[in-house]
Amino acid sequence: MDKMICIVCPRGCHLEIDENNNVTGNFCPRGVKYAINELSHPERMITSTVKVLSGDLKRLSVATSKPIPKEKIFDVMNEIKKVEVRGPLPINSVIIENVLGLNVDIISTRVLKEK
Amino acid sequence: MTNYDLIIIGGGSGGIAAAVSAYDNGISSILLIEKEAYLGGILLQCIHNGFGLHTYKEELTGPEYANRASSELLKRKINYKLNSMVIDITPDFVVTYTNKEEGYQQVKAKAIICATGCSERSRGAIAIPGDRPQGVMSAGQAQKYLNIEGYMVGKKVFILGSGDIGLIMARRMVLEGAEVLGVAEIMPYSNGLNRNIVQCLNDYNIPLYLSHTVKEIKGQGKLEKIVICKVDDKLQYIDGTEQEISVDTLLLSVGLIPSNPLIENLGVEIHPRTKGPIVDESYQTSIPGIFSCGNSLHVHDLVDFVSLEGKKAGFFAAKYIKNELCTNQKVDIKNGVGVSYVLPTQVDIQNIDELQINFRCVKPFKTCYIIVKNGDKVIKTIKKPYLVPSEMEKVVIKKDLLQNLDYLTVEVVDG
């Protein structure tokens, strides 16, 4: 029997998973998926910012388009740190395509206008 | 002087939702006033994800949520001012604001919604003894420096308080290359969301020191060391448990206080526990025509609930402007055992189809019951697997249970 707290949403359900991968304590179906994923290959969303060379902001906020394997978090952060962008860029522009071959893009999460 | 039906102060999630909702309920003469250069409020510095699951049925980052909400306002062509600071409201609702382009301006409203957010408790508010070096700041301030301005505030960080902003900043600082040595929480349980303990602390092996606080700050000019120490069940230092930790930054995440200086000056009655105004079911304060919502009313855990509250405040403010709001049959709603506060604290059931009472419990509960009473009579009981003070709870009571009201009480008791 494994116990964990679901992190899919802020509700934070207390999950229990038995030897047969039966999940209980979940409020929604995503809890089941989370629990099984978390035991086999844990994944996390990553958010950060990139440097703006020209635009109305100093930093542009970015996020992974999908969760990435937990053990790749710092490698992906290193890629994000290398990026510099110029405005204008609409929200949800691809900033890094297929980062480290993970089939995940780094996308912007805010509108960047020209200065 | 320009006259508006409704003036909304604050262009964060609460103010935006209120403006959109008032507009959708027939009020088009609206002015929203925002002090910053962008709509969206504090969401813009909350670059992490987890916002919007209730409102938009998907998980967004703070700036994305702000963008969605603002676009609703822009779509309706609701008037708004940016970079504009409201400095005064008079008893007859003349609102004075200033900005660079227009200078000093006065506008008048039939109703006002205050959605001015909250501020962080500071070192002074919790009186940590010791030196006063640089390197001690609130977690939200560090968040703004890092996420908006692009400045790292330190390399060896300790965090006091396990509120969500502190937990989020612990992870954020680690991702940016800092060493986060720990988080101390004076209570025997965390005040942050469970998911943030898991994904911000456990994921990065950051220790959480429960029943601990910072006893002393040391450093000449720059922060050099802090002394943490265990506390007993009366929250007093336990001698001999002191630990000295070398740090260059101490972030404080020790609570948020609703910020209402404008309407406090007008004499709006303030709730002793929430520190926001006392409101009825219509989100109307003790001054008729002044409404409140969002974190300036009471501090929320989720922005989704702020938007919902803003929507209701906008709806009722529209009713008030149209002279459709009843206030002649108010009864009190009180917090009973196990409950630290209820909101609203008064209800006139003529205005509603069902009553939602928001509350927080006083301590963590395992299996327990939420009990709503009318006078001494129980009118609703709900069984819960657990309740914690860090998560706002609500009970919704259908109108047919709200007949012949004396006064209502919400209690939480062990199951």
Side-chain angles (χ1 to χ4, degrees):
Chain A
M1 179 77 76
D2 280 296
K3 286 186 179 188
M4 63 176 73
I5 291 168
C6 183
I7 62 164
V8 171
C9 85
R11 192 184 172 92
C13 291
H14 294 247
L15 306 178
E16 290 191 4
I17 308 99
D18 69 13
E19 322 56 73
N20 303 319
N21 275 358
N22 290 319
V23 180
T24 50
N26 56 306
F27 178 74
C28 77
R30 292 181 305 169
V32 177
K33 199 177 158 210
Y34 170 77
I36 291 166
N37 260 355
E38 187 67 11
L39 288 179
S40 53
H41 57 285
E43 293 181 316
R44 297 288 184 267
M45 291 286 289
I46 287 297
T47 64
S48 187
T49 63
V50 295
K51 188 175 178 182
V52 175
L53 291 174
S54 73
D56 67 332
L57 306 170
K58 289 176 183 156
R59 306 289 300 189
L60 178 62
S61 53
V62 298
T64 50
S65 57
K66 287 186 292 193
I68 57 164
K70 206 169 141 183
E71 71 275 10
K72 295 285 181 194
I73 289 175
F74 285 96
D75 297 334
V76 169
M77 275 303 294
N78 280 334
E79 296 304 306
I80 292 174
K81 280 176 194 168
K82 292 178 194 163
V83 177
E84 296 173 335
V85 296
R86 289 178 192 276
L89 281 174
I91 189 167
N92 296 345
S93 296
V94 174
I95 303 298
I96 307 175
E97 206 178 330
N98 190 14
V99 63
L100 299 174
L102 294 169
N103 286 322
V104 173
D105 297 332
I106 303 298
I107 57 161
S108 62
T109 57
R110 192 172 171 182
V111 176
L112 178 65
K113 293 178 189 158
E114 276 174 282
K115 197 155 196 168
Chain B
M1 191 183 325
T2 312
N3 284 277
Y4 293 93
D5 283 345
L6 177 61
I7 291 177
I8 296 166
I9 304 169
S13 45
I16 292 172
V20 167
S21 158
Y23 183 92
D24 290 349
N25 285 286
I27 305 299
S28 55
S29 167
I30 301 175
L31 177 66
L32 180 145
I33 306 174
E34 164 56 38
K35 71 177 160 71
E36 297 290 335
Y38 297 90
L39 291 172
I42 211 71
L43 282 167
L44 296 174
Q45 72 183 55
C46 300
I47 62 164
H48 53 280
N49 64 319
F51 302 93
L53 279 161
H54 297 259
T55 312
Y56 300 111
K57 308 292 171 218
E58 56 182 304
E59 187 159 331
L60 303 172
T61 63
E64 288 172 312
Y65 190 104
N67 184 67
R68 294 256 183 125
S70 319
S71 66
E72 292 298 314
L73 186 101
L74 302 177
K75 226 190 308 184
R76 289 165 179 77
K77 300 194 163 50
I78 295 169
N79 292 308
Y80 66 95
K81 303 259 177 213
L82 298 175
N83 297 310
S84 300
M85 189 74 183
V86 174
I87 53 172
D88 187 48
I89 305 172
T90 66
D92 56 348
F93 293 3
V94 173
V95 174
T96 305
Y97 69 86
T98 64
N99 65 35
K100 262 188 190 169
E101 287 74 37
E102 298 173 287
Y104 179 95
Q105 292 288 323
Q106 290 193 312
V107 285
K108 197 169 188 309
K110 290 179 188 159
I112 293 171
I113 300 177
C114 275
T116 44
C118 57
S119 50
E120 298 181 276
R121 290 175 79 205
S122 62
R123 175 180 175 182
I126 54 167
I128 309 172
D131 301 328
R132 305 193 66 82
Q134 69 178 65
V136 181
M137 70 189 81
S138 68
Q141 193 180 357
Q143 189 180 45
K144 185 172 185 180
Y145 281 136
L146 184 54
N147 294 345
I148 303 288
E149 305 291 336
Y151 299 128
M152 266 301 264
V153 293
K155 292 200 170 104
K156 288 187 80 154
V157 183
F158 194 85
I159 297 172
L160 175 60
S162 64
D164 286 308
I165 316 169
L167 300 177
I168 294 283
M169 279 310 289
R171 173 179 61 182
R172 187 76 190 104
M173 297 295 288
V174 171
L175 288 179
E176 289 295 343
E179 189 184 354
V180 177
L181 296 148
V183 176
E185 168 59 55
I186 196 167
M187 301 304 287
Y189 49 85
S190 164
N191 277 311
L193 295 172
N194 278 330
R195 73 183 317 230
N196 287 335
I197 304 285
V198 175
Q199 64 182 356
C200 298
L201 299 189
N202 300 356
D203 272 5
Y204 302 97
N205 303 315
I206 300 170
L208 173 61
Y209 299 92
L210 294 174
S211 297
H212 275 74
T213 192
V214 173
K215 190 180 176 183
E216 196 183 347
I217 289 173
K218 294 181 179 181
Q220 294 307 315
K222 287 190 173 178
L223 177 60
E224 289 157 22
K225 281 171 188 165
I226 56 165
V227 178
I228 68 165
C229 151
K230 212 168 163 35
V231 297
D232 62 21
D233 53 7
K234 295 187 179 66
L235 308 183
Q236 301 301 305
Y237 305 135
I238 301 175
D239 284 339
T241 63
E242 291 85 357
Q243 255 185 82
E244 210 172 62
I245 303 177
S246 292
V247 292
D248 61 19
T249 306
L250 175 65
L251 299 184
L252 305 177
S253 176
V254 290
L256 301 166
I257 307 281
S259 183
N260 291 285
L262 293 163
I263 56 171
E264 274 183 45
N265 282 344
L266 273 184
V268 152
E269 216 180 313
I270 297 294
H271 191 293
R273 177 63 178 71
T274 64
K275 313 286 182 203
I278 285 177
V279 293
D280 60 20
E281 81 298 327
S282 305
Y283 296 90
Q284 187 166 228
T285 65
S286 62
I287 299 180
I290 296 186
F291 295 77
S292 174
C293 63
N295 282 348
S296 57
L297 175 56
H298 58 142
V299 175
H300 294 66
D301 320 318
L302 300 184
V303 68
D304 300 77
F305 298 157
V306 169
S307 294
L308 279 176
E309 197 170 270
K311 189 176 174 184
K312 288 185 188 171
F315 170 81
F316 287 114
K319 267 193 140 185
Y320 171 87
I321 292 162
K322 294 183 280 186
N323 282 318
E324 292 169 6
L325 203 58
C326 309
T327 52
N328 57 343
Q329 287 182 23
K330 285 191 181 183
V331 300
D332 289 332
I333 309 172
K334 300 175 181 176
N335 52 316
V337 289
V339 174
S340 68
Y341 78 85
V342 291
L343 189 142
T345 50
Q346 281 193 319
V347 57
D348 186 324
I349 63 159
Q350 297 171 97
N351 296 318
I352 51 173
D353 299 323
E354 57 180 32
L355 173 64
Q356 177 180 324
I357 306 174
N358 301 296
F359 69 93
R360 284 182 198 270
C361 56
V362 290
K363 63 173 178 75
F365 284 89
K366 294 236 165 90
T367 309
C368 59
Y369 292 95
I370 302 169
I371 298 168
V372 184
K373 289 180 181 168
N374 173 20
D376 291 334
K377 198 176 140 233
V378 175
I379 58 170
K380 186 158 186 154
T381 306
I382 303 165
K383 191 177 179 181
K384 283 276 172 183
Y386 74 97
L387 281 181
V388 286
S390 59
E391 293 176 23
M392 192 166 66
E393 269 300 323
K394 64 176 183 193
V395 273
V396 178
I397 308 152
K398 293 269 182 274
K399 198 168 180 173
D400 56 355
L401 292 173
L402 296 171
Q403 304 307 315
N404 307 316
L405 288 186
D406 182 8
Y407 63 93
L408 292 167
T409 315
V410 182
E411 297 175 356
V412 176
V413 294
D414 284 309

